[in-house]
């Protein structure tokens, strides 16, 4: 399926209309102001002359300071984009830095007014985007979006993007974030292992449990998970609930409605997933493993299933055995009463990139984004990291790795039934701390389904009552 085949309705449903993504300043930024809002201040910034070839007015010899998150996608794709920029502006010096803890590295620079020109604000150490927007720390990307595409004649940048991309990075109607990768979330397994064992991926929950029993009897743990980041297991639980109860399940959670986490759909989902805990279908020691360790155990064939997004193939590239053929599939249906079909799967635009408002070469930062969003830049990204980009049509004709091919097929099969939730973007703390902790207790076997959901609801209620969090209403 070509990316351009994704309709506006389909992608917007998958992205859950993530149009207003604000929250309080969080983490290291929460205790220190960034100074006055100078997002409109151009003093001291590098400026060039605008032209047809230079629509953003980049100063051709101005240095460009780039900081990339060194995570699952690595940094080679970023270096390739920077090389494209360098071809266009050969006099410019491009400084490339790849770091793991974005907040620790960049918080002091945001505070003292000397941020980089371009930031891939991702990973566990991501700086809260809502906090950055609230403090006027990010540049409005409208000039980029309205600029002509680098290599798609007759179209503005915004017109080359998959529907929902601009909305996913917008806060109060202005776009401050470029979400560059399109991610599919589901349950991953080795198709080679399944073929060798004669196993077939289960479409219903009862069939899944029966398969888990077979897998365990074969001496393999049915499941493992990212024990030090247990929120990864909240994804299949919520997905199961949404498929059972319909999109309104996600809507209620996103809107912090009372009782959203303890709804009948969430109860049914939690009860189902508790079975893999009760029946000891989880690889022993999983709670103590981080994401790389658990995923490596899975790649070694010590577990059959793992929950993750479609960055998994790239993140595990170095340790994945040849012919492993990882594949992604939707969560099994609870039964015939499900509101959404088995094929319904979660997908959304993600992997945020920003240009700080106080960047000295703000125009250069946006120009680098324009190169990323070219057809050439997007195709190169997909080829290097095994992930879809948000540039429509960029995957057409590409030779995709096995796992990404299954992700594209899963999206096609899902059609207009795709879904997503955004509470984790509206209120980062709720997922990263409160739901994460509840999942840790639940999948370690220390709490019941009712206690698990009560803990999640308590966390949501705390956020709802906290006036430091700006609240948003999801309507579609």
């Amino acid at each position: 399926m070509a990316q351009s085949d994704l309709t506006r309705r389909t992608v917007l449903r998958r992205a859950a209309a993530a149009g207003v993504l604000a929250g309080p300043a969080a983490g290291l930024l929460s205790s220190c102001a960034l100074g006055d809002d100078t997002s409109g201040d151009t003093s001291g910034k590098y400026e060039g002359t605008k032209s047809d070839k230079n629509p953003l007015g980049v100063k051709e010899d101005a240095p460009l300071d780039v900081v990339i998150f060194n995570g699952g996608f690595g940094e080679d794709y970023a270096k390739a984009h920077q090389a494209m920029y360098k071809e266009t502006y050969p006099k410019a010096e491009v400084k490339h830095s790849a770091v793991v803890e974005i907040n620790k590295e960049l918080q002091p620079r945001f505070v003292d007014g000397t941020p980089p020109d371009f930031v891939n604000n991702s990973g566990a150490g991501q700086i809260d985007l809502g906090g950055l927007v609230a403090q006027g720390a990010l540049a409005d990307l409208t000039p980029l979006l309205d600029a002509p595409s680098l290599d798609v004649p007759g179209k503005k940048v915004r017109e080359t993007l998959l529907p929902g991309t601009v909305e996913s990075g917008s806060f109060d109607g202005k776009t401050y974030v470029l979400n560059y990768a399109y991610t599919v979330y589901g349950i991953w397994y080795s198709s080679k292992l399944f073929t060798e064992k004669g196993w077939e991926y289960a479409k219903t929950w009862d069939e899944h449990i029966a398969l888990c029993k077979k897998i365990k009897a074969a001496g393999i743990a049915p499941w493992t998970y990212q024990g030090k980041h247990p929120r990864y297991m909240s994804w299949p639980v919520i997905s199961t609930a949404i498929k059972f109860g319909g999109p309104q399940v996600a809507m209620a959670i996103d809107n912090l409605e009372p009782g959203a986490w303890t709804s009948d759909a969430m109860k049914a989902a939690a009860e189902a997933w508790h079975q893999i805990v009760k029946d000891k279908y989880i690889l022993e020691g999983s709670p103590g493993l981080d994401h790389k360790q658990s995923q490596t155990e899975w790649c070694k064939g010590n577990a059959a299933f793992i929950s993750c997004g479609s960055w998994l193939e790239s993140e595990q590239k170095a340790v994945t055995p040849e012919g492993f053929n990882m594949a992604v599939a939707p969560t099994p249906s609870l039964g015939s009463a499900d509101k959404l079909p088995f094929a319904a799967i979660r997908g959304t635009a993600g992997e945020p990139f920003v240009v700080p408002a106080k960047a000295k070469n703000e125009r250069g930062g946006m120009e680098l984004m324009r190169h990323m969003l070219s057809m050439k830049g997007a195709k190169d990204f997909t080829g290097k990291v095994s992930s879809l980009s948000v540039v429509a049509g960029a995957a057409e004709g590409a030779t995709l790795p096995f796992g990404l091919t299954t992700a594209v097929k899963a999206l096609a099969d899902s059609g207009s039934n795709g879904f997503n939730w955004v509470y984790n973007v509206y209120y980062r703390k709720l997922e990263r701390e409160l739901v994460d902790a509840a999942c840790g207790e639940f999948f370690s076997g220390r709490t019941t389904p009712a206690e698990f959901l009560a803990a999640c609801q308590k966390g949501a209620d705390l956020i709802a009552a906290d006036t430091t969090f700006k609240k948003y209403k999801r309507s579609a």
Side-chain angles (χ1 to χ4, degrees), residues 339-354:
K339 297 290 196 303
L340 295 178
F342 161 75
I345 200 165
R346 179 191 178 202
T348 184
E351 195 63 22
F353 291 79
V354 298

Side-chain angles (χ1 to χ4, degrees), residues 241-255:
I242 291 171
K243 291 169 77 166
F244 180 74
Q248 62 267 31
V249 173
M251 194 90 69
I253 289 174
D254 291 341
N255 290 336

Side-chain angles (χ1 to χ4, degrees), residues 32-95:
C32 45
L34 298 177
D36 295 333
D37 179 356
T38 58
S39 56
D41 183 9
T42 60
S43 60
K45 291 180 179 290
Y46 293 115
E47 295 183 13
T49 303
K50 293 183 179 181
S51 66
D52 289 344
K53 292 185 177 180
N54 185 3
L56 292 172
V58 176
K59 191 172 188 297
E60 296 186 5
D61 61 351
L64 185 69
D65 188 356
V66 177
V67 177
I68 297 296
F69 168 61
N70 194 0
F73 290 151
E75 55 182 312
D76 287 347
Y77 80 91
K79 290 180 177 179
H81 290 152
Q82 291 158 33
M84 289 175 62
Y85 182 94
K86 186 74 173 175
E87 286 180 16
T88 306
Y89 303 100
K91 296 179 181 179
E93 176 187 352
V94 179
K95 178 185 177 183

Side-chain angles (χ1 to χ4, degrees), residues 333-393:
S333 301
L334 287 183
S336 59
D338 278 19
K339 297 290 196 303
L340 295 178
F342 161 75
I345 200 165
R346 179 191 178 202
T348 184
E351 195 63 22
F353 291 79
V354 298
V355 174
K358 292 185 179 180
K360 198 167 185 181
N361 194 2
E362 178 183 322
R363 298 186 183 191
M366 290 192 198
E367 180 70 3
L368 179 55
M369 287 183 173
R370 193 167 77 102
H371 282 67
M372 289 173 61
L373 293 170
S374 66
M375 194 64 69
K376 178 183 177 181
K379 285 181 179 293
D380 187 80
F381 172 78
T382 294
K384 281 185 166 60
V385 308
S386 300
S387 175
L388 299 174
S389 78
V390 295
V391 178

